[in-house]
Amino acid sequence: MPRYRLTIEYDGTPFVGWQQQTNGETVQGSLRVAIKSATGEDVVLQGAGRTDTGVHAKGQIAHFDLSREWVPTRIREALNYYLRPNGSIAVLTCDAVADDFDARYSATARHYTYRILNSRPHPVLEKNRVWHVIRPLDADDMNEACRVLIGHHDFTTFRAKHCQANSSMRTLDSLRVFRASNEVLIEASARSFLHNQVRSMVGSLKLVGEGKWSCQDLADALAACDRTACGSVAPAAGLYLMHVDY
Amino acid sequence: MPRYRLTIEYDGTPFVGWQQQTNGETVQGSLRVAIKSATGEDVVLQGAGRTDTGVHAKGQIAHFDLSREWVPTRIREALNYYLRPNGSIAVLTCDAVADDFDARYSATARHYTYRILNSRPHPVLEKNRVWHVIRPLDADDMNEACRVLIGHHDFTTFRAKHCQANSSMRTLDSLRVFRASNEVLIEASARSFLHNQVRSMVGSLKLVGEGKWSCQDLADALAACDRTACGSVAPAAGLYLMHVDY
């Protein structure tokens, strides 16, 4: 069966996450409805990253099979025709791929960006798009502290209680923090992440930025392999799945 | 009476514009309610630019007088306390100013930015923040055409029917168009603009970008001094009052 790969943008605000479930609207569910409307087919839709409630994507990747061949751009146009009225999801690209391509298991790197609005006034034009942190953050200190987390570690401290991964070992390929005007941006890349890992790391890096934690405090938290050693998990609204490498 | 100057950010989407009126929620009205809540005073609030329904601001300026002196940062904090729950307006700065400062009449330049999302897929994370134009635009052609409009002209063609200005003569100090990834940005600066002038110019520049109009067509439209010679007025959602000079 011909296989298609989608690049998807979504506003996570109205969704209870990517993964289809019974208790609310999901990105995966909405896309499957659009695919059904466009092609008449009930498909299995596999995504690269299972983003949580409120988490956004500028470059989520998913694949699905159809029983007959379509011109990929026609799939994109047809899906966007059905997605446009709601307006919270758009298909950016659609490509035909080999039938051994798997959006989840073929991925070699996932890239996330986390946005903090670091200002006294609350966000307005960026409402539901950033974490609002009032206390001034030292982005250089935060960036320095990234050294502690980069590399191959047991990330139990930065892992949601209900994370289903078999192992808590992960390799964080890159992590950097920088300031752009009144925003502090955190970019994280790895082959895969544990559940809530990025938001957990951001919550602890924020403590470093506020001067409450030193690099050593962060290193101790990592070494503790204990969920309770982690700072507060950063809110979903600031997190974006930016792109996925294959 | 002590006079205060505010820098204001707002999402224009839920408002029928800046100017207080009887038929809907306005930015000016919402701010006056917040000022009343914070200080107990009914003030006259004068803004630098009367933005229309749906137009945004990152740097609207307004002034008002209070009967007693306040620490300016306390005013900002108090206003944001009352504005935060609704979340569509924030006061970025508050400063004490001389009593001859007038947000509207002392302004020497107003700077607007217009954002076009130039892509086939519809906007998602930037919904209500951009004009969605599917047909590919040549930003260089649009920028070249700006030459026609820059300077001192009769802008009757690019003026709303119900514009209340005494004269249709305006001096457009600068106008430029450039591409940033899948966005085409238009920046316009002048001491003052006619009603709908920026959106009218953008609507005609878009015709140039699509190859439907030449620079000469734009020059002819300007010279016609006729509202019907103008392209469609660009939608409000893409327009931002960025800052005001004094």
Side-chain angles (χ1 to χ4, degrees):
Chain A
M1 285 167 75
R3 178 162 289 191
Y4 298 94
R5 162 178 156 165
L6 305 177
T7 309
I8 307 150
E9 177 180 345
Y10 50 87
D11 170 9
T13 315
F15 299 108
V16 296
W18 166 266
Q19 187 85 344
Q20 202 156 8
Q21 47 189 284
T22 50
N23 68 344
E25 204 186 347
T26 64
V27 181
Q28 189 183 43
S30 300
L31 278 165
R32 290 187 64 233
V33 168
I35 294 168
K36 171 85 174 179
S37 300
T39 69
E41 298 195 37
D42 278 310
V43 301
V44 174
L45 185 70
Q46 175 76 65
R50 298 194 207 165
T51 57
D52 278 332
T53 302
V55 172
H56 313 296
K58 293 192 175 188
Q60 170 76 286
I61 304 290
H63 82 262
F64 63 99
D65 298 334
L66 291 175
S67 59
R68 69 171 182 86
E69 278 199 21
W70 283 65
V71 177
T73 54
R74 276 205 54 210
I75 297 178
R76 185 193 64 188
E77 294 303 300
L79 293 183
N80 284 339
Y81 173 83
Y82 289 103
L83 294 168
R84 191 175 289 117
N86 180 286
S88 299
I89 307 174
V91 174
L92 303 183
T93 65
C94 178
D95 297 285
V97 286
D99 60 8
D100 65 347
F101 172 84
D102 187 292
R104 181 169 179 197
Y105 295 104
S106 308
T108 56
R110 292 165 170 88
H111 306 275
Y112 285 90
T113 295
Y114 195 96
R115 293 174 62 192
I116 296 175
L117 177 67
N118 193 208
S119 69
R120 284 207 66 85
H122 49 277
V124 167
L125 287 161
E126 302 301 328
K127 190 164 56 176
N128 295 324
R129 302 283 182 272
V130 293
W131 182 18
H132 181 215
V133 174
I134 290 177
R135 193 187 289 254
L137 297 174
D138 188 318
D140 292 334
D141 284 356
M142 293 167 75
N143 190 51
E144 178 67 19
C146 290
R147 278 190 303 113
V148 168
L149 299 172
I150 293 167
H152 188 66
H153 302 290
D154 183 332
F155 281 100
T156 296
T157 301
F158 302 97
R159 170 188 197 178
K161 254 189 196 158
H162 51 285
C163 175
Q164 291 168 358
N166 292 325
S167 166
S168 55
M169 299 302 296
R170 286 294 182 275
T171 302
L172 185 59
D173 293 323
S174 74
L175 182 67
R176 72 178 188 119
V177 182
F178 60 99
R179 177 174 285 277
S181 179
N182 60 1
E183 286 196 19
V184 172
L185 297 162
I186 298 115
E187 295 179 344
S189 300
R191 184 182 184 98
S192 69
F193 289 93
L194 297 165
H195 195 173
N196 274 1
Q197 187 183 343
V198 178
R199 289 165 57 195
S200 299
M201 295 190 300
V202 168
S204 294
L205 285 171
K206 177 221 178 208
L207 296 174
V208 174
E210 291 177 330
K212 291 180 183 169
W213 273 24
S214 65
C215 283
Q216 189 56 52
D217 291 330
L218 186 64
D220 292 346
L222 176 66
C225 291
D226 175 0
R227 182 69 186 149
T228 63
C230 173
S232 298
V233 175
L239 186 59
Y240 297 74
L241 174 52
M242 298 300 287
H243 54 107
V244 183
D245 296 341
Y246 291 94
Chain B
M1 285 166 77
R3 179 162 288 191
Y4 299 93
R5 161 179 156 165
L6 305 177
T7 310
I8 306 149
E9 176 179 346
Y10 49 88
D11 170 9
T13 315
F15 298 108
V16 296
W18 166 265
Q19 187 86 344
Q20 201 156 10
Q21 47 188 287
T22 51
N23 68 343
E25 204 186 347
T26 64
V27 182
Q28 190 183 42
S30 301
L31 278 164
R32 289 187 66 233
V33 168
I35 294 169
K36 171 84 173 178
S37 301
T39 69
E41 299 194 37
D42 278 311
V43 301
V44 175
L45 185 70
Q46 175 76 67
R50 297 195 208 164
T51 56
D52 278 332
T53 301
V55 173
H56 313 295
K58 293 192 174 187
Q60 170 75 288
I61 303 291
H63 81 263
F64 63 99
D65 298 335
L66 291 176
S67 59
R68 69 172 184 86
E69 280 198 18
W70 284 65
V71 176
T73 54
R74 276 204 55 209
I75 297 178
R76 184 192 65 189
E77 293 305 299
L79 293 183
N80 284 338
Y81 173 82
Y82 289 105
L83 294 168
R84 190 175 291 119
N86 180 287
S88 298
I89 307 174
V91 174
L92 303 183
T93 65
C94 178
D95 296 285
V97 286
D99 60 7
D100 65 345
F101 172 84
D102 188 292
R104 182 171 178 197
Y105 295 104
S106 308
T108 56
R110 291 166 171 87
H111 305 277
Y112 285 90
T113 294
Y114 196 97
R115 293 174 60 192
I116 295 174
L117 177 68
N118 192 207
S119 69
R120 284 208 67 85
H122 50 278
V124 167
L125 287 160
E126 302 303 327
K127 189 166 58 175
N128 295 324
R129 301 283 182 271
V130 293
W131 181 18
H132 181 213
V133 174
I134 290 178
R135 192 187 290 252
L137 297 174
D138 188 318
D140 292 335
D141 284 354
M142 294 168 75
N143 191 50
E144 178 68 19
C146 290
R147 278 190 306 112
V148 168
L149 300 171
I150 293 167
H152 188 67
H153 302 289
D154 183 332
F155 280 100
T156 296
T157 300
F158 302 98
R159 171 189 197 177
K161 255 189 195 157
H162 52 286
C163 176
Q164 293 169 356
N166 291 324
S167 165
S168 55
M169 299 301 296
R170 286 292 183 276
T171 302
L172 185 59
D173 293 323
S174 75
L175 182 67
R176 71 179 189 117
V177 182
F178 60 98
R179 176 174 286 278
S181 180
N182 60 1
E183 286 196 20
V184 173
L185 297 162
I186 298 116
E187 295 178 343
S189 300
R191 183 183 185 95
S192 69
F193 288 94
L194 297 167
H195 196 171
N196 273 359
Q197 186 182 341
V198 178
R199 287 164 56 194
S200 299
M201 295 190 301
V202 168
S204 294
L205 285 171
K206 176 216 175 212
L207 296 174
V208 174
E210 290 177 332
K212 293 179 182 168
W213 273 23
S214 65
C215 283
Q216 188 57 49
D217 291 330
L218 186 65
D220 292 346
L222 176 67
C225 291
D226 175 0
R227 181 69 186 148
T228 63
C230 173
S232 298
V233 175
L239 185 59
Y240 298 75
L241 174 52
M242 298 300 286
H243 53 108
V244 183
D245 296 340
Y246 292 93

